[in-house]
Amino acid sequence: MAGITQAFVLGAGLGTRLRPLTYDLPKPLIPICQKPLITFALDHLIDIGVKSFVINTHQLPERFEDFFSGNVYAGHPIRLVHEPDLLETGGGIKNAEPHLGTKPFIVYSGDILTDVDLAPLIDEHFRSGNDVTLALRETGLATGVALRNGRVVDIGNKFGHPGDYDFANISIWNPEIFQRIPAAKKISFIPVLTEWIRQDGKIGGVVLNDHHWFNIGSRTQYLEVHRAILGHHWKPRYVKTPEWPAQIAPDAAVDPTARLSGFYSVGAGCEVGADALIEDTILWPGSQIASRSELVGCIVRSRQKVEGVHRNIDI
């Protein structure tokens, strides 16, 4: 397998559908069983041989700076590129050009969690001599990408080819893309690719339907990934930390009479009082749950104090 050693990880989204959770944290940093979401992307990429990362930021950039203090993750260099004005995917790629150089790179969304096998994507990119290769899935969310014999022939039915697949938010790009995106312009990569298709660019696609794939775009999807991990004991093979997932952080204080059930997660520094019920509920770090409270299907943001009975809400 030919190698990809650099990655551009998209971290600049607003996370509007996850509000109010994303008032406190950028979506890529929200905890998944107490592990920041974006670190799954980084671990996945390290596992396939990526050595260095560029991450774009927009909302709450200081949170990224705090988390990646020293500009390193697991011994690999991280460069944060801030976008004061959102540039979208195409503009973000162009903005990262000075740090990506002249070699192919992989683009990976910082708000998905997946364990798809990326080797077929990388192999196909180099075997076919593609300019761009998109990871595709039958997600049930969209079918905008038309694939014929390994070649993407249409996106969004621009050329009369109905789509069959959804873009899986992972792709490989040759550096020639930089010549096709205007600098400092807010633009999606979709019109850039459709124009390249029109000009007979080699835009390939690989269907990666196997394994798990989660787009963490709503509270339902956020809870669903916890259900998969904690309820169905799914763990991506590339996560090497033996103690993950732990449902209760080592320094959390949970009263012995509290009742915890389902796919719950109790974060660092949390306090759960006597006779409290925590069911299918995620407690972010430092949250305090009063005695005799009942939380079912809830997400409690960091350092919140909660009492009473709550069902299926964000606090």
Side-chain angles (χ1 to χ4, degrees):
M1 181 178 72
I4 295 285
T5 60
Q6 56 180 352
F8 178 46
V9 180
L10 301 169
L14 291 173
T16 53
R17 289 185 298 149
L18 268 174
R19 291 174 179 169
L21 302 179
T22 49
Y23 288 146
D24 295 328
L25 286 172
K27 183 164 67 168
L29 293 181
I30 63 173
I32 305 293
C33 299
Q34 306 167 48
K35 177 177 168 65
L37 174 57
I38 198 171
T39 64
F40 293 91
L42 301 180
D43 290 343
H44 197 181
L45 293 166
I46 289 170
D47 191 58
I48 63 165
V50 170
K51 305 298 183 185
S52 63
F53 299 92
V54 179
I55 302 173
N56 66 342
T57 68
H58 174 70
Q59 181 190 18
L60 301 170
E62 66 278 5
R63 295 301 184 95
F64 286 96
E65 293 164 3
D66 291 343
F67 183 75
F68 293 111
S69 60
N71 296 313
V72 69
Y73 174 79
H76 297 268
I78 299 282
R79 181 177 288 275
L80 300 176
V81 179
H82 183 55
E83 296 178 13
D85 298 311
L86 275 176
L87 297 172
E88 295 193 20
T89 50
I93 289 172
K94 178 65 175 179
N95 197 47
E97 179 180 3
H99 313 297
L100 292 172
T102 59
K103 294 182 179 180
F105 56 95
I106 189 166
V107 175
Y108 196 123
S109 177
D111 61 4
I112 62 170
L113 202 170
T114 181
D115 61 349
V116 298
D117 184 3
L118 296 177
L121 182 72
I122 298 171
D123 286 346
E124 176 64 13
H125 182 79
F126 290 104
R127 184 190 67 80
S128 295
N130 289 337
D131 297 307
V132 182
T133 308
L134 306 179
L136 307 174
R137 284 180 73 86
E138 294 172 296
T139 64
L141 301 174
T143 56
V145 181
L147 185 70
R148 305 289 185 269
N149 299 317
R151 182 68 59 86
V152 173
V153 296
D154 206 341
I155 303 176
N157 202 19
K158 297 294 184 181
F159 308 121
H161 302 291
D164 305 296
Y165 301 101
D166 191 9
F167 174 49
N169 294 330
I170 305 172
S171 49
I172 299 175
W173 302 73
N174 285 352
E176 286 74 17
I177 184 59
F178 297 129
Q179 304 165 19
R180 294 180 164 269
I181 306 176
K185 181 178 180 180
K186 180 178 182 177
I187 184 172
S188 165
F189 72 76
I190 299 300
V192 178
L193 282 189
T194 53
E195 180 59 25
W196 212 346
I197 292 169
R198 188 192 307 275
Q199 298 174 359
D200 295 325
K202 293 183 177 180
I203 314 302
V206 176
V207 180
L208 301 178
N209 275 335
D210 294 338
H211 303 287
H212 292 75
W213 186 90
F214 298 92
N215 180 359
I216 316 299
S218 67
R219 76 178 314 272
T220 299
Q221 293 163 333
Y222 181 74
L223 291 173
E224 184 58 34
V225 76
H226 281 85
R227 186 192 304 274
I229 294 166
L230 299 172
H232 303 305
H233 309 292
W234 172 63
K235 180 176 182 177
R237 63 192 179 279
Y238 53 76
V239 176
K240 308 300 184 184
T241 310
E243 60 270 21
W244 186 89
Q247 288 193 272
I248 302 176
D251 64 347
V254 179
D255 190 276
T257 63
R259 294 164 291 154
L260 283 69
S261 65
F263 55 91
Y264 65 87
S265 178
V266 181
C270 288
E271 298 178 9
V272 180
D275 296 313
L277 170 65
I278 304 296
E279 180 180 323
D280 296 341
T281 289
I282 312 303
L283 306 182
W284 286 14
S287 56
Q288 299 178 36
I289 312 304
S291 298
R292 293 177 293 281
S293 297
E294 295 185 10
L295 278 71
V296 178
C298 295
I299 305 167
V300 181
R301 291 151 56 195
S302 297
R303 298 175 295 281
Q304 301 296 309
K305 296 182 179 180
V306 184
E307 61 181 12
V309 177
H310 302 277
R311 297 283 191 277
N312 303 314
I313 64 169
D314 302 333
I315 301 171

